[in-house]
Amino acid sequence: LEGSRLSEQLKLELPQFVEQAKAAAGGKGWLKKILEADARISSVKVPGRNEPCYCLAERLPAGGAFSDETRAAPGRHASAPSTEALTETEEGSQILGDFAQAAMEVLSEFDYLEGSRLVQALQTRHPEVLQRAKASLGGSKGWLKALLTLEPRIEAVEVPDRNEPCYRFSDNPDGLASDESGAGGCRA
């Protein structure tokens, strides 16, 4: 399990524990410090994951690393998750609609918002919607981008001095040519 996913789940299910753990471990790197102190949990290398990953020590593969054949979640790939199944079912359409509505509510307050900040705001305001949407794509890397690209009223923008994808309401939800800057007039 990726450290970021584990951290998000712990924040959802045990927020008081997370705050205590952060304080005890000195803030940044709290999860790694706590997990490495527990012999029942091992840090592992997983192909396609550029972040710390963890597994139960009893399930640790030989050599301490997962290969492509021993991936922790069979069927998942490092590429962006597929949204096809979501768009074909009533439940999936409901998840997409709820997520798009929640994202637009948050984005309506900003010229643009970094993906990480959008997720934080959604976690605070609409935690159930966020978890359902993320879980619907297996929580794999690229889930946010995959979901937001399905909503024509939200567009990805490049913002100077931001090293992550940013999103905003689209001035042009029909996809017609817009200004040349590519930033759609977003202010940093």
Side-chain angles (χ1 to χ4, degrees), residues 166-182:
C166 297
Y167 299 93
R168 71 176 188 118
F169 270 117
S170 175
D171 290 335
N172 192 4
D174 296 325
L176 302 174
S178 62
D179 70 21
E180 295 175 9
S181 72

Side-chain angles (χ1 to χ4, degrees), residues 155-169:
E155 67 181 346
V157 293
E158 287 189 33
V159 179
D161 300 322
R162 301 288 186 248
N163 292 327
E164 67 176 294
C166 297
Y167 299 93
R168 71 176 188 118
F169 270 117

Side-chain angles (χ1 to χ4, degrees), residues 6-176:
L6 179 57
S7 175
E8 286 178 30
Q9 197 62 37
L10 287 171
K11 288 175 188 175
L12 271 178
E13 295 182 21
L14 302 166
Q16 297 85 3
F17 167 77
V18 169
E19 290 307 313
Q20 291 172 351
K22 279 183 177 180
K28 187 167 176 62
W30 68 272
L31 184 63
K32 181 178 179 180
K33 291 174 188 172
I34 289 174
L35 294 179
E36 288 181 351
D38 191 325
R40 298 171 295 174
I41 300 171
S42 294
S43 178
V44 294
K45 300 267 185 214
V46 179
R49 302 285 180 236
N50 293 325
E51 66 175 294
C53 295
Y54 302 93
C55 78
L56 295 174
E58 64 191 32
R59 295 184 181 176
L60 185 65
F66 284 92
S67 68
D68 287 333
E69 292 79 35
T70 60
R71 298 284 303 252
R76 282 190 36 203
H77 304 285
S79 61
S82 172
T83 57
E84 187 175 321
L86 280 178
T87 60
E88 295 176 355
T89 66
E90 187 175 322
E91 180 183 9
S93 294
Q94 182 68 44
I95 290 169
L96 291 173
D98 291 348
F99 182 76
Q101 189 64 37
M104 288 186 294
E105 176 190 308
V106 171
L107 288 170
S108 69
E109 300 173 15
F110 301 91
D111 289 332
Y112 71 89
L113 200 57
E114 297 90 339
S116 61
R117 290 183 55 209
L118 175 57
V119 170
Q120 288 173 348
L122 289 168
Q123 179 63 46
T124 300
R125 296 183 193 183
H126 304 283
E128 301 85 16
V129 170
L130 176 67
Q131 282 309 110
R132 281 187 69 210
K134 189 172 179 180
S136 72
L137 294 178
S140 59
K141 185 173 177 76
W143 68 270
L144 179 66
K145 180 179 178 181
L147 289 173
L148 293 178
T149 58
L150 295 174
E151 175 51 58
R153 296 169 290 178
I154 298 174
E155 67 181 346
V157 293
E158 287 189 33
V159 179
D161 300 322
R162 301 288 186 248
N163 292 327
E164 67 176 294
C166 297
Y167 299 93
R168 71 176 188 118
F169 270 117
S170 175
D171 290 335
N172 192 4
D174 296 325
L176 302 174

